[in-house]
Each structure stands twice: as structure tokens, then as C-alpha cells.
Amino acid sequence: NFAASLYYSEAGQWSESLVLLDQIPEHDRTTSIKELHARSIVYVKSDLATKLYADKAEAEGIQMLSSVEEDAKDNPELVAVVTSAWLKMNQHERSAALLERNIQLDPSFLQHYAGLLLQTGQDVKLQGLFDEVDAPNSKHAPVKDSLDNIRIALRVRQVETLRGSASIAHRQSI
């Protein structure tokens, strides 16, 4: 059962993997089996939570995803799964908070976090993040260059906002 459940997990078929793993008696589970079981639960519950939310059972979806958020900690793969589920449920603040708490786990989370701040219009917070990354001896120096496209997008948006403001002011003066 473990080999088949491992195959299903690699194929992204987490529900099938979990069904097979649940058939293995608790006392016969090795560390690897327990780890795959825990991963499978996070994937399955995250998927189910987004489906509940989409089916207008928002409270149940949020509660279910909240319950697996703790299980995802210390695992970049699972943090990404839960973060993605929060985004699918339009819970941008929860997604951002989870990324922010886990940036030290995986440097790529900083880029995802910055992108989320840009997407949700949190420009002041995003600029603060850039200032932190740009500081001498920043712990985020290795990923500084990966934020360049987000910096450019922020500047373009700021220029467009200024251009729009100038256009409105010009129209009002006529």
C-alpha cells in the first residue's frame, strides 16, 4: 500500500494516496509512512476547504483550512499548499500572514509575499519590505534580485496612478 500511495502522491492524487495510507494499521506505520500520511492530509483538506468555500460553505472551508495550517508549519511545500488554498478562497490577509511567518523556511516565500502585497495593493508595506531587503547586511540579500520584476511593477503602477491623477486634475481645471 505504501508504494502505491507514494505513486499517487507523486501524481498529485492525494485523496487516493490517503485512502491507501489509512488502510495501514497505525502500529505498522514507519516514519516515512507517517510523514506521507500527514502531507496527504494537508493536501486533501486544503483541496476540500477550497471546494467548500466555493460551494458557499465559507465558514466550514475557513475552519477546515485553519485546522491544517498548523500541520503545514516547518514544511515549505505544505506552507505553499495552504497559502495557495487561502488565495483561492480570497483570504489574501491570511495567505500573506502565513507567508510572512514562514519566510525563513524558504527564501522564495519572500518573492511570493512581495507579489501578494503588490497584487492586493499594499504598496506601503511592499515598499517597507524593499527597504528591509535593501538594507546593508540584510538577511534577504540572496533573493534581492528576484524581486526586481515586482519592483518594476510597483513603479509602473505608481507612475500610472500619478498620470491618472494629473489627467483628472487637468480635466477639472478646464
Side-chain angles (χ1 to χ4, degrees), residues 90-105:
N90 295 317
Q91 300 293 313
H92 298 118
E93 296 83 18
R94 288 178 184 250
S95 182
L98 182 59
L99 284 172
E100 189 174 24
R101 286 192 311 269
N102 289 282
I103 286 173
Q104 74 282 358
L105 279 180

Side-chain angles (χ1 to χ4, degrees), residues 105 119 138 146 166:
L105 279 180
Q119 178 186 358
S138 170
S146 71

Side-chain angles (χ1 to χ4, degrees), residues 12-133:
Q13 297 175 348
W14 294 100
S15 295
E16 291 82 353
S17 176
L18 187 57
V19 167
L20 291 174
L21 290 168
D22 282 341
Q23 293 173 5
I24 300 171
E26 184 72 36
H27 64 276
D28 289 338
R29 295 182 185 177
T30 64
T31 302
S32 296
I33 293 171
K34 289 176 184 177
E35 289 172 0
L36 183 57
H37 188 262
R39 281 179 58 217
S40 297
I41 288 173
V42 172
Y43 273 94
V44 169
K45 286 189 174 183
S46 294
D47 184 53
L48 182 56
T50 59
K51 287 177 181 172
L52 285 169
Y53 192 87
D55 291 340
K56 306 295 183 216
E58 289 96 350
E60 292 88 346
I62 288 171
Q63 182 180 0
M64 180 174 289
L65 194 54
S66 294
S67 73
V68 297
E69 191 171 308
E70 182 65 21
D71 298 332
K73 76 174 188 176
D74 300 330
N75 185 321
E77 173 193 1
L78 299 180
V79 168
V81 168
V82 175
T83 298
S84 176
W86 282 128
L87 287 174
K88 289 176 186 173
M89 295 165 63
N90 295 317
Q91 300 293 313
H92 298 118
E93 296 83 18
R94 288 178 184 250
S95 182
L98 182 59
L99 284 172
E100 189 174 24
R101 286 192 311 269
N102 289 282
I103 286 173
Q104 74 282 358
L105 279 180
D106 185 338
S108 72
F109 285 168
L110 184 67
Q111 186 177 12
H112 294 296
Y113 179 61
L116 183 58
L117 293 176
L118 178 71
Q119 178 186 358
T120 57
Q122 298 181 54
D123 295 357
V124 173
K125 198 167 190 176
L126 181 56
Q127 187 58 54
L129 179 65
F130 288 149
D131 293 345
E132 182 183 330
V133 169

Side-chain angles (χ1 to χ4, degrees), residues 144-157:
K144 181 179 178 178
D145 292 341
S146 71
L147 300 175
D148 286 347
N149 289 337
I150 296 171
R151 287 177 197 270
I152 291 168
L154 176 62
R155 297 295 178 249
V156 168
R157 181 165 62 208

